[in-house]
Amino acid sequence: MPDTSRRWRLAGMIAATVVCGVMAAFGALACIFSPLIFDRPGNLMNPVAWLSLLLLVTFWIVCILAPFGAWVVYRRGQESLAWAAMAAPLAWLALLAAVLQFVPG
């Protein structure tokens, strides 16, 4: 009989991959609207606006690459590193939310 705990951890990895896929879809949609950051006069010369644009445009890429890297290290037996890689999009999203607070809107 397979280890039940291992099955739950595998199910958790699959669920986290699905969540990352959904976040990637929303990130791609947000990427389409990312030039709207520069709508307000003066934002074109604002370095925080440029940083938020960079974070916003690369968010969906992180959402795609993080599960890929997580599954690679998970299959190699480094489960804690796999969960850290799977959490990268959430950390990226938290950083993006923090930086967007300083962009004048």
Side-chain angles (χ1 to χ4, degrees):
M1 180 169 163
D3 185 17
T4 308
S5 175
R6 179 152 173 80
R7 259 195 268 165
W8 279 107
R9 291 191 311 256
L10 181 63
M13 284 288 289
I14 292 169
T17 303
V18 169
V19 168
C20 282
V22 170
M23 287 193 316
F26 282 112
L29 183 63
C31 188
I32 293 170
F33 294 106
S34 62
L36 295 176
I37 292 173
F38 300 110
D39 271 356
R40 184 169 181 181
N43 272 359
L44 195 58
M45 301 305 275
N46 186 353
V48 178
W50 283 99
L51 177 63
S52 63
L53 176 75
L54 177 69
L55 289 172
L56 187 60
V57 168
T58 56
F59 173 69
W60 68 276
I61 297 169
V62 171
C63 288
I64 292 171
L65 292 180
F68 175 74
W71 279 104
V72 168
V73 296
Y74 181 80
R75 297 299 287 169
R76 291 183 180 172
Q78 299 173 333
E79 193 170 330
S80 59
L81 186 59
W83 283 107
M86 199 63 85
L90 295 175
W92 201 271
L93 187 62
L95 181 63
L96 176 62
V99 169
L100 280 175
Q101 297 297 314
F102 297 104
V103 177

